[in-house]
Amino acid sequence: MAGSAAALAGMGLGAARDAVAQAAPPAAPAAARPLPAYVAWKDPAALIQHSGTTIETRRSAFGTSPITPVDRLYIRNNLPAPDASIVADRDAWTVAIEGVKSPRSFSLAELKGLGVETVAMVLQCSGNGRGYFPSKPSGTPWTVGAAGCVLWSGVPLRSVAAALGGVAEGMRFVTGTGGEKLPEGVDPKSVIVERSVPLSVMGDALLAWEMNGAPIPLAHGGPLRLVVPGYTGVNSVKYIKRLAFTAQESDARIMSHGYRISPPGGKGDPSQPSVQEMAVKSWINSPSGEGAALKAGPVQITGVAFGGVHAVFAVEVSVDGGSSWLPARFVGPDLGRYAWRNFAVEARLAPGTHKLVSRATDSTGQVQPKDRQENAGGYNNNSWADHALTVVVA
Amino acid sequence: MAGSAAALAGMGLGAARDAVAQAAPPAAPAAARPLPAYVAWKDPAALIQHSGTTIETRRSAFGTSPITPVDRLYIRNNLPAPDASIVADRDAWTVAIEGVKSPRSFSLAELKGLGVETVAMVLQCSGNGRGYFPSKPSGTPWTVGAAGCVLWSGVPLRSVAAALGGVAEGMRFVTGTGGEKLPEGVDPKSVIVERSVPLSVMGDALLAWEMNGAPIPLAHGGPLRLVVPGYTGVNSVKYIKRLAFTAQESDARIMSHGYRISPPGGKGDPSQPSVQEMAVKSWINSPSGEGAALKAGPVQITGVAFGGVHAVFAVEVSVDGGSSWLPARFVGPDLGRYAWRNFAVEARLAPGTHKLVSRATDSTGQVQPKDRQENAGGYNNNSWADHALTVVVA
């Protein structure tokens, strides 16, 4: 097994598709190094490894479909994934439901009887785009690839609550607790992944067991994950073992002090805004600016755009760094307001250097801003100027 | 490489996700045997192997997302896939465009400049459901799994034709020719994969280079595949090397005599209807009827439904073999008229044996029939009675 694990780790699915067919040694892409064992089934050529638990999708690896393949999707885990034994019998996983009229635990098998819904949703790390902050905040310097659009299937929280008599009086938050094994010798509250979101997410949030048509891989929170559409990734708690409707936000450190919009140079505290709803954002994926110069001729400029909790309404593209703008058209099916949409615009670029940017507008009229909102954590970067890319046409 | 290829072949992606994480030998599912090398990256536990070129998805492996993961998607190739060298430099693949005002060849890189669209489409083998014909027609005895719903990205045929001055006068068909290597010593027309479809498909057909957000794997027709939404799979020609607008249908045997609706016991000939547009169809995937008896309690009955070239409009479910019907609800986003929709209905099944069936209606009012249309080839089976499944509740 060590041999095959190593082979997988060095190859990944995408390369394997071609390499196995060729029955020849895989040519590892120059920049790819082996992925950690728990994500060895991902495609290293499509990914940038920052660390064993922080891996992003290359800009050039996003296609023009609204759904991101799981083997190209980013990884960001606050704690190491639990032991794989938890996915050996997925239906046996249990989650405690609290803050309802009749609290109880459900096995995953039981949850599946309560209802099923499928939601397409942008999953984006709170710090996606942090790499563009000149202040170099601590944390992973993500560029565009700590994001993807995923189909989640599971039972709506509203169906779970309804099956237990409804949410108890006075509850204002949905608090999810992850099932990661905590390091010993430290205050559990200082490390546990426990997040609270407003009760208003109840309309569309799920307890999900499936992503993109297959059981959720362990690396992405399987067997059961809380999914909060329109919110940054940290709020969609993996390996959820407790779902509580609560009167107060969790006092876990990741909630009280982590993921806060703090002034530059400052530290997080509970008085500051929590990183929750995503804002309108877009970026260009192709041409990617990677590799050789483009040939002159018609080029399709493509990218993705989303509005967080609102649908994206329109996208404009500039090939001169934002001096002038062209309307882009949407490409492919609309998967609902939490999904991203692919966009395209055709251009003919003269030989030379061009600065490409995109700017999205959501259904409420909010326009993606030119400038980032400075903050100590490097969160929520939706600046269109920061996401510019430079291409050379020969 | 032989070692890692063998390891991959014995494991597949799905098992690899868990097994690699566990760093323990993968437990091969009882019914799974190693997949051929060119599809060794697929998940053998999700698949039924009929032969090296005919592999279907298990009924129990369809999830509740509208898109089928590529590693669970069926395989049916009329000829062995070409050498993998054709995907070593995808952009260098060329396709000849004929039957336009200004015929020429395009490289894939050039095609990408002409336009881009993404279409979600049911890909279904013409013989899906053949296994339910009591007459046992020759050909693979597919049950439900020679089908999936796929996102394809590529350039619309209409954009290709427009770039070359438009379709030439008098052309009535779109004829695609596959790039497979033909066996020697036989008349090429007797084996070449060349299919013609009416010019009316121009509205939505693509020359596609991407499926489900990544380059099309060799096994599924990459680097370039003709995609004809609403038509059975054989019409979406793999490794397309020639796209011709023609006055007549191809005289290749696969068109003139193959894939025809012939009377039982008869042989195909050009006077008979060609297998092209798909008809309204649905089936239940969960409960699958596989494995142990269900426990009594609420159960979500889920499945898929599609209308071929028309959108699916409604689905009914029966738990008594078709004596009485319940309306099902659609689950998840609507990806357009060529996609399938997931449906669900909640039921409480008493202990005993139940015969579950589903019946779809398309947007033109066509209702999925109870009975199959008998034909020698076992094509186009959309009988709801044939697709029934039996479940036992303890």
Side-chain angles (χ1 to χ4, degrees), chain A residues 89-97 102-117 154-157 159-164 207-209 223-224 241, chain B residues 286 294-301 346-348:
Chain A
D89 181 2
R90 290 168 176 269
D91 279 352
W93 181 262
T94 59
V95 58
I97 313 296
S102 306
R104 60 161 284 187
S105 287
F106 285 112
S107 68
L108 177 45
E110 290 169 327
L111 283 178
K112 288 177 178 174
L114 297 183
V116 63
E117 191 48 79
V155 60
L157 298 198
S159 301
V160 177
L164 299 180
L207 286 174
W209 49 79
L224 191 68
K241 68 173 186 183
Chain B
S286 181
L294 295 179
K295 288 183 186 164
V299 59
Q300 301 290 322
I301 299 171
E346 185 177 320
R348 283 185 175 269

Side-chain angles (χ1 to χ4, degrees), chain A residues 20 37 64 116-118 210 329 332, chain B residues 20 37 64 117-118 210 329 332:
Chain A
V20 172
T64 41
V116 63
E117 191 48 79
T118 297
E210 188 183 304
R329 64 189 173 84
Chain B
V20 172
T64 42
E117 191 47 80
T118 297
E210 189 183 302
R329 64 189 173 84

Side-chain angles (χ1 to χ4, degrees), chain A residues 325-343:
Chain A
W325 297 90
L326 299 163
R329 64 189 173 84
F330 288 125
V331 167
D334 179 354
L335 273 59
R337 64 179 171 134
Y338 302 115
W340 68 27
R341 297 212 64 182
N342 302 94
F343 65 83

Side-chain angles (χ1 to χ4, degrees), chain A residues 164-220:
Chain A
L164 299 180
V167 174
E169 290 285 321
M171 301 309 176
R172 297 162 50 225
F173 298 93
V174 175
T175 298
T177 310
E180 291 95 343
K181 188 167 183 226
L182 303 183
E184 307 215 352
V186 294
D187 176 6
K189 289 281 182 191
S190 71
V191 287
I192 197 166
V193 179
E194 185 172 275
R195 294 282 299 175
S196 298
V197 291
L199 200 58
S200 58
V201 307
M202 284 280 284
D204 294 297
L206 305 177
L207 286 174
W209 49 79
E210 188 183 304
M211 72 187 296
N212 286 4
I216 303 176
L218 182 71
H220 289 291

Side-chain angles (χ1 to χ4, degrees), chain B residues 69-102:
Chain B
V70 176
D71 65 317
R72 297 181 167 220
L73 185 65
Y74 81 102
I75 286 281
R76 196 284 187 249
N77 286 336
N78 280 280
L79 290 172
D83 189 82
S85 59
I86 69 170
V87 290
D89 180 4
R90 290 168 176 269
D91 279 352
W93 180 263
T94 59
V95 57
I97 313 296
E98 302 175 9
V100 288
K101 299 277 166 45
S102 306

